[in-house]
Amino acid sequence: MTPKLVAIDGPLKGSTFFVSGDSFSIGRKADNTLSPADLSISRYHCVIRREGSQFRLADLDSQNGTFVNGFPVKERLLNHGDQIDVGASVFLFLAEATEDPSGEPTLVLENPPSAAEAAPPELRHSMIGDSPAIRQVLDFIARVAPLESTVLITGESGTGKELAARALHDNSPRAARPFVAINCAALTEAFLESELFGHERGAFTGAIAQKKGKLELAEGGTLFLDEVGELAAPLQAKLLRVLQEREFERLGGTRTIKADVRLIAATNSDLAAAVREGKFRQDLYFRLRVLSIGMPALRQRREDIPLLANYFRIRHGTRQKRRVHGLSTAARDCLMRHDWPGNVRELESAIESAVALGSTGFILPEDLPESVLSSQTVGDGLPRFNQALAEAKRDLIRKAYQQARGDYLEAAKALGLHPNSLLRLVRTLGLKTELQRPQGG
C-alpha cells in the first residue's frame, strides 16, 4: 500500500498524489515528481524520502519554507495525518486508506515500524530553528527536563527564554501540572511579594480576602520567574528560603505551606556581576544556577532567520486574514543582514508589520520597517547604501507630490506604485508631516 498526499487547499485542491518509490520531490522545475505552477514554490522546494517503513520530509533550502502542522521544518519524519504547507498548497499526508468492519476509514502504513525501528518520542517545544545553537539548547532541554533541579536561563531580551522554560516543563514528569509564570520586573516590590507568596485577609490595606500566590498555584508543577535579577533584597531572602526549605508563609500569615514546585528562573542581566556589586545575593545565585543554559542571540544563529520569518509570515497572515505567499529574495537578504538587537521578538514585529502593510502577494523590502532597512550596509567602510537609497526615494516622492499638487493618487500613478505602497513609503520614510496639506490647499 502506498502513502499519498491529498491537496486540501491551494491550486491543486482536490488532487491526490501517491508517494511511490524512494523519493518524491516537489518544486516548480519539470523534473520534480510534482511540479505545480506556483511562484511561491521554489524550483526544488522539498522532498519526501522513504527510510525503511517510514518517510522523511526534507526542505531543500526553499525560499519560503516547508511547514508541517504549522511549523517550519528542515527535516521531519512524517506521521499519519500530518499537514504539509508548500507555497500556496496544503497537503495531507495519509497512508493508504482501508475500511474497518464499522465502515470507517483507517490509516495504515505498508510496513508498520517495529519497536526497534520506531523513533524516540519527539521533544515537545515551540522553538523554531535548526541551527547548531538551537540544537544545543534542545539537547540541554532533553537531558535536563526529567530532573528536579533548578534551572537558570540567561540571554538577551527577545531570545525565547520563556519558550525554553515551557519546553523544560512540558517534557518533565510535572507536565500534567501547572506552568505558572511571573515577570519580576513588571511589578512593584510589595505587589510582587503578594503575587508570589499570596496574602491573608487583612495583611495590608485593601486585602479584603485571602489570596493564593503563584507558588501555591504552581503546586506540583513549575514556577517560572522571568527577570529574576530584578528581585529586591527582601524577596531574594524569601526566595532563598523556598529553595532551601521548600516552604513559605503567605504575607500576613503564620501557617507554613509546603512548596512542591520546580523553579526555573531567567534573566537578561549579568547576575555574576550583580553579585560582585552587592546587588544580588551570592547564595541565591548559586541556588538558581544549579543548571544553566544561555539562549543564543538571533545574530548568532542567522541560518534560522528564514525559518522564523516564514513562520511569522503564515502566523500573522492567518491572524490578519491576508494570504502572503512568501518573501522576495531582496526582502530575505535584508533580514539576513540585519543584526536584530531585539532578537526574535523584533523579527516577529517586523514581519507582522510587513504582512499588515504590504499590498502584494510577497513581502518586499519596502514592506519592512525603516529600522531594518537603515541598518543595511554594502561592504566594510562604505556608506550605508540603504540610507542613500532612502534619501533618493524621498526626493522622488517629494517631486511626485509637487507635480500632483498633493494628490497622493496622482503621485502614486506617476511613480508606478499602488497608492497603499506610496502611503506606506511616506510613513516609513518620515515624510508624512512634510507632505500633509490643509484641506483644499
Side-chain angles (χ1 to χ4, degrees), residues 56 75-79 82 119-125 170-171:
R56 181 180 296 276
E75 287 194 8
R76 165 79 175 261
L77 279 176
L78 293 174
N79 295 312
D82 277 346
E122 289 189 7
L123 195 69
R124 296 175 58 196
H125 67 91
D170 289 342
N171 293 279

Side-chain angles (χ1 to χ4, degrees), residues 56-314:
R56 181 180 296 276
L57 173 69
D59 181 77
L60 300 177
D61 195 27
S62 64
Q63 177 75 21
N64 296 313
T66 304
F67 294 73
V68 176
N69 302 327
F71 285 87
V73 297
K74 283 294 184 182
E75 287 194 8
R76 165 79 175 261
L77 279 176
L78 293 174
N79 295 312
H80 299 300
D82 277 346
Q83 179 177 301
I84 304 170
D85 289 52
V86 180
S89 296
V90 182
F91 301 97
L92 206 59
F93 177 78
L94 300 175
E96 183 69 22
T98 59
E99 288 191 351
D100 66 14
S102 68
E104 293 296 323
T106 304
L107 301 178
V108 298
L109 280 176
E110 182 177 359
N111 297 302
S114 65
E117 292 178 311
E122 289 189 7
L123 195 69
R124 296 175 58 196
H125 67 91
S126 298
M127 285 178 282
I128 307 297
D130 196 50
S131 63
I134 283 297
R135 286 183 179 274
Q136 185 176 355
V137 171
L138 295 177
D139 179 63
F140 173 86
I141 291 171
R143 289 184 289 114
V144 167
L147 309 179
E148 286 293 305
S149 303
T150 302
V151 179
L152 178 64
I153 305 172
T154 61
E156 297 176 10
S157 178
T159 51
K161 296 186 289 295
E162 184 168 347
L163 290 180
R166 286 185 178 275
L168 283 166
H169 171 77
D170 289 342
N171 293 279
S172 76
R174 296 176 176 266
R177 302 296 296 163
F179 175 90
V180 179
I182 185 169
N183 188 329
C184 301
L187 305 171
T188 64
E189 178 183 344
F191 193 50
L192 179 59
E193 183 176 12
S194 173
E195 281 292 294
L196 191 54
F197 298 100
H199 63 251
E200 298 290 352
R201 179 181 179 183
F204 51 83
T205 303
I208 59 175
Q210 181 193 82
K211 176 186 175 181
K212 291 184 177 181
K214 301 294 188 184
L215 271 167
E216 283 184 83
L217 296 176
E219 176 69 17
T222 302
L223 177 64
F224 174 58
L225 295 181
D226 199 6
E227 303 305 341
V228 71
E230 301 300 315
L231 282 176
L235 289 182
Q236 291 180 33
K238 285 196 168 187
L239 181 60
L240 179 63
R241 182 194 171 196
V242 172
L243 290 172
Q244 289 177 331
E245 309 297 334
R246 296 291 168 178
E247 60 185 29
F248 66 97
E249 290 90 31
R250 296 191 192 107
L251 192 62
T254 56
R255 184 172 67 89
T256 298
I257 301 171
K258 293 295 183 181
D260 177 19
V261 298
R262 184 186 190 180
L263 185 69
I264 299 176
T267 181
N268 62 10
S269 60
D270 187 344
L271 286 189
V275 169
R276 291 193 296 270
E277 295 167 4
K279 298 178 180 178
F280 201 84
R281 295 181 63 119
Q282 185 180 57
D283 46 6
L284 177 58
Y285 174 60
F286 289 139
R287 281 284 182 176
L288 290 175
R289 67 179 300 271
V290 174
L291 296 167
S292 182
I293 182 67
M295 295 298 293
L298 187 54
R299 62 183 173 276
Q300 296 170 329
R301 55 180 188 112
R302 291 184 182 276
E303 57 266 57
D304 289 335
I305 291 174
L307 282 174
L308 286 158
N310 279 302
Y311 171 70
F312 294 138
R313 166 180 63 82
I314 289 184

